[in-house]
Amino acid sequence: LGDEVEAFEQEFAAFVGVPHAVGVGTGTDALTLSLRALGIGPGDEVVSVANAGVAPVAAIRASGAQLRLVDVDPDTLLIDPQYLAGVLGPATRAIVAVHLYGNPVDLGALLEVASARGIPVVEDCAQAHGARWQGESVGSRGRVGCFSFYPTKKIGAFGDGGLCVTHDAQLAARIRE
């Protein structure tokens, strides 16, 4: 969508520490397009939390998948990896890990459970621009990180906007398509 968007994609990818970024219309679009690019669709299940607002649920439903809820840690209100293995089933095809209030999810424990089952993690970073987990930016550890630039977010647009970041060139190309 032009030189300015391309420059922003490159700068934001560098900010997060990944080689690829794709600008999209909204944060919800970022989540939806990421799930679709991962091949998520009807008959699939995606695990996330209930307290993250409408966008993750809307994106999961827009991909055609069913939402499966996992409990949150009562102290952080973030996805609790200790409960994650218990909710993963044979139809689980992705996990949407939501970083809330600028606080990152325990990505070490979460990614350990997910990788043991071969399940990709989509990081919802809409409320965590610039947050770091063990020295790395949120959005850089999962298969794809999704950001929102709605005016109420930490980095807001004049209107709306979203961005997907990833280490995977093929996944970035599918999102862009």
Side-chain angles (χ1 to χ4, degrees):
L1 299 176
D3 294 341
E4 290 181 15
V5 172
E6 186 177 327
F8 179 71
E9 289 171 339
Q10 292 172 359
E11 289 174 26
F12 203 86
F15 170 69
V16 174
V18 299
H20 308 284
V22 179
V24 298
T26 68
T28 304
D29 289 345
L31 291 166
T32 303
L33 294 169
S34 294
L35 291 169
R36 287 182 177 170
L38 288 167
I40 307 301
D44 294 334
E45 216 172 61
V46 177
V47 173
S48 195
V49 294
N51 65 323
V54 173
V57 174
I60 291 165
R61 296 297 293 141
S63 74
Q66 295 295 316
L67 170 65
R68 183 150 191 174
L69 297 174
V70 63
D71 281 331
V72 297
D73 180 296
D75 294 325
T76 66
L77 301 179
L78 303 172
I79 191 170
D80 194 330
Q82 77 173 330
Y83 298 117
L84 188 57
V87 301
L88 300 178
T92 305
R93 297 290 178 263
I95 299 164
V96 175
V98 184
H99 306 289
L100 288 173
Y101 322 116
N103 297 314
V105 168
D106 178 354
L107 289 168
L110 186 137
L111 290 168
E112 184 177 320
V113 172
S115 65
R117 306 260 185 120
I119 298 171
V121 172
V122 174
E123 293 182 67
D124 180 343
C125 309
Q127 294 187 30
H129 306 71
R132 300 179 78 70
W133 182 81
Q134 294 190 346
E136 295 181 85
S137 293
V138 297
S140 69
R141 296 292 310 268
R143 196 67 197 284
V144 61
C146 301
F147 291 84
S148 171
F149 302 110
Y150 189 75
T152 61
K153 303 302 182 193
K154 289 179 74 174
I155 300 175
F158 186 65
D160 207 342
L163 193 82
C164 303
V165 298
T166 184
H167 288 279
D168 185 332
Q170 291 178 335
L171 182 59
R174 284 195 301 274
I175 293 168
R176 194 172 298 282
E177 287 174 3

